[in-house]
Amino acid sequence: MKQNFWTKIKEISFNDILHFFVFLLALFPAWVYKHYRRHLWLICENEMEARDNGYWLFKYIRENETQVDAVYAINPKSKDFFKVKELGETVSFGTFKHWVYYLAAEVNISSQKNGKPNAAVCYFLEVYGIRKNRRVFLQHGIISNDLPFVHYENAKFSLFVTSTKREYEYVRDNFNYPQGVVKELGLARFDQLHNIRVNSNQILVMPTWRGWISPPSHGKSVYHGVEQIRQTMYYQCWNAFLQDKEIQKLLEQQGKTMIFYQHREMQKFKGLFHSDCPNILIKTVDSADVQQLLKESAYLITDYSSIAMDFAYMDKPLWYYQFDYEEFREKHYSKGYFDYETDGFGPVCRTYETLKADLICRIFEGKEEADKYAVRRRQFFDLKDNQNCKRNYEAIVELLG
């Protein structure tokens, strides 16, 4: 279903209006600039990060396909800025120059739907057919739920990357894209998930966000106050987990470390979670790299995050802690092709008591994992090699003819 025009209008902020005028000012310079750089590839992801599929594809291109005129858009204040700049040309995210590059580019490539100079203005330009540019969606993770905001009528991507047969078939058959737009190529970042070193004493806890608690950063709405969030089931359940004295004691006795890393849309609320236990570390985007945490951790505890797919790809055990399943389905993402009970890569726990008991048995007492989970992990991924960046690159070349 196409997102309501007037609903989108109501979400427009003063900053979006300013960007509309920047867009108008950039039109003529971009038309001129396009004659000098006819084959410009503009790549990005989140404004403040270069750690996802956009970064790894850019790195691959700069190291293996140097004839490509590729530029990466990122905020110069990002901790990842110099890492990207060492590879090649960058443009400051959201600036006039970014608008010129966006309008002049032969193709815009991003792991985020909103990886553009301004999400609101670009939405109207692209979805309503004003701007007929080529747009490649590298994806942020393997899709398992129905995501209306990336259906064709709400995004109109020229190339939509998927990573498994089941995901490809689901997107192809349900997201309304023209034939040939959706392709099974694999996530670019998966190339880095081979030959990894695992810390057997490291446990990673990574819950995803909740749209009804914390509206997206690019939207107009704001959830006011950490104290309000502390009244939610989300906070109370995860906080109870972090404060559990028995778990803390077991961590200390066995020399294990638990790392708690929230989705970036929840990291906006500073100091929401804390722990006095020296074996429980609260990490943020400024203090840790998600992919590195995934690679080195021996166990993962999440809820609905697609990051579980990365962990399963590496064939490591995980748990789903889903205390608010019905509310999540009603208010956040509706169910897709993936059923956690029958398809999941680890136990599904709806109560903390169930989760705690299973963690103690598996992690602290050494009980063997049920065979069915390892079988599911191995059968789910039909593309499992280090050629994902190459396939993505070749598909973009094919798209451009």
Side-chain angles (χ1 to χ4, degrees):
M1 180 181 295
K2 192 165 185 176
Q3 294 173 345
N4 185 276
F5 176 82
W6 293 111
T7 299
K8 300 298 290 185
I9 286 291
K10 291 176 183 177
E11 285 292 314
I12 291 176
S13 68
F14 180 71
N15 183 60
D16 298 331
I17 295 172
L18 289 178
H19 268 277
F20 176 74
F21 288 105
V22 175
F23 151 68
L24 292 177
L25 291 172
L27 280 171
F28 181 71
W31 179 81
V32 174
Y33 195 67
K34 189 175 180 68
H35 288 76
Y36 292 94
R37 299 180 76 169
R38 293 181 179 276
H39 303 292
L40 173 63
W41 291 22
L42 183 60
I43 305 175
C44 69
E45 47 194 51
N46 183 272
E47 174 183 358
M48 298 301 295
E49 295 179 23
R51 307 177 186 186
D52 207 338
N53 300 307
Y55 167 74
W56 289 109
L57 179 62
F58 182 70
K59 187 174 189 294
Y60 170 84
I61 290 171
R62 296 307 305 144
E63 293 177 349
N64 299 277
E65 305 292 345
T66 54
Q67 79 282 1
V68 175
D69 183 10
V71 177
Y72 196 96
I74 187 170
N75 192 314
K77 295 180 180 179
S78 166
K79 291 187 68 174
D80 298 328
F81 175 75
F82 289 103
K83 175 178 75 172
V84 181
K85 193 165 182 62
E86 287 177 357
L87 292 172
E89 184 183 351
T90 65
V91 61
S92 184
F93 201 104
T95 60
F96 177 78
K97 188 176 181 180
H98 189 189
W99 269 109
V100 171
Y101 279 31
Y102 164 79
L103 294 168
E106 183 179 27
V107 60
N108 287 272
I109 306 165
S110 180
S111 61
Q112 304 285 339
K113 182 190 175 185
N114 299 305
K116 299 157 189 176
N118 177 270
V121 176
C122 291
Y123 172 86
F124 284 102
L125 294 176
E126 296 169 356
V127 173
Y128 290 94
I130 301 168
R131 169 75 172 138
K132 298 182 183 298
N133 59 344
R134 294 184 179 95
R135 298 183 299 281
V136 174
F137 184 42
L138 298 177
Q139 281 229 57
H140 176 54
I142 294 178
I143 289 174
S144 60
N145 303 301
D146 185 19
L147 307 179
F149 59 89
V150 291
H151 286 191
Y152 178 71
E153 58 271 22
N154 296 319
K156 294 191 176 177
F157 298 121
S158 309
L159 174 61
F160 194 125
V161 176
T162 61
S163 302
T164 70
K165 181 180 179 181
R166 290 187 65 192
E167 181 197 24
Y168 162 72
E169 292 175 343
Y170 177 69
V171 174
R172 179 198 64 189
D173 297 341
N174 295 277
F175 285 24
N176 309 319
Y177 280 87
Q179 184 176 359
V181 171
V182 181
K183 294 184 181 296
E184 184 184 357
L185 305 171
L187 297 182
R189 68 174 185 254
F190 278 8
D191 284 350
Q192 309 304 313
L193 301 184
H194 301 270
N195 302 317
I196 57 173
R197 287 187 177 184
V198 178
N199 179 350
S200 60
N201 289 320
Q202 184 166 301
I203 306 161
L204 180 60
V205 184
M206 282 191 66
T208 192
W209 64 300
R210 304 294 191 273
W212 70 93
I213 296 176
S214 174
S217 297
H218 59 267
K220 189 177 180 180
S221 302
V222 177
Y223 193 103
H224 297 287
V226 169
E227 289 305 316
Q228 287 177 277
I229 298 178
R230 288 194 172 121
Q231 305 305 313
T232 65
M233 184 186 296
Y234 172 87
Y235 170 79
Q236 292 171 3
C237 288
W238 285 114
N239 189 60
F241 178 36
L242 293 177
Q243 306 305 326
D244 189 291
K245 297 301 181 184
E246 185 177 1
I247 294 292
Q248 292 180 4
K249 185 176 180 180
L250 288 169
L251 288 170
E252 293 177 17
Q253 288 177 343
Q254 298 190 16
K256 297 184 185 298
T257 300
M258 182 179 288
I259 297 176
F260 186 75
Y261 187 100
Q262 291 186 93
H263 190 281
R264 65 169 168 264
E265 291 292 352
M266 298 303 297
Q267 290 183 27
K268 296 179 293 188
F269 307 102
K270 305 295 184 183
L272 181 60
F273 290 99
H274 77 280
S275 175
D276 295 326
C277 176
N279 294 67
I280 297 179
L281 307 177
I282 311 296
K283 295 288 187 178
T284 66
V285 67
D286 293 326
S287 61
D289 184 309
V290 171
Q291 190 173 54
Q292 188 59 37
L293 290 178
L294 288 166
K295 288 163 67 174
E296 66 189 22
S297 297
Y299 309 96
L300 172 69
I301 303 160
T302 185
D303 42 18
Y304 316 95
S305 176
S306 64
I307 214 72
M309 300 287 189
D310 297 53
F311 214 75
Y313 183 89
M314 294 180 282
D315 198 22
K316 296 192 289 187
L318 59 92
W319 287 260
Y320 303 97
Y321 182 27
Q322 300 180 344
F323 49 82
D324 58 350
Y325 181 80
E326 289 76 15
E327 189 173 23
F328 184 86
R329 287 297 183 210
E330 179 185 350
K331 298 180 179 179
H332 199 87
Y333 294 147
S334 56
K335 187 176 179 180
Y337 66 91
F338 191 89
D339 184 271
Y340 291 102
E341 297 285 355
T342 59
D343 300 320
F345 308 121
V348 179
C349 305
R350 298 292 170 85
T351 67
Y352 179 58
E353 291 73 23
T354 305
L355 174 67
K356 179 179 176 179
D358 207 79
L359 292 179
I360 290 175
C361 285
R362 283 279 294 111
I363 298 178
F364 299 107
E365 296 179 356
K367 182 181 177 182
E368 290 294 320
E369 178 188 49
D371 291 339
K372 63 181 179 181
Y373 299 125
V375 171
R376 290 177 189 176
R377 292 195 294 265
R378 291 164 191 157
Q379 291 179 344
F380 186 75
F381 300 97
D382 48 304
L383 288 180
K384 200 165 184 180
D385 55 31
N386 60 356
Q387 301 297 305
N388 298 284
C389 286
K390 185 174 186 292
R391 281 190 293 268
N392 277 252
Y393 166 75
E394 291 175 347
I396 296 170
V397 171
E398 182 183 354
L399 170 68
L400 301 177

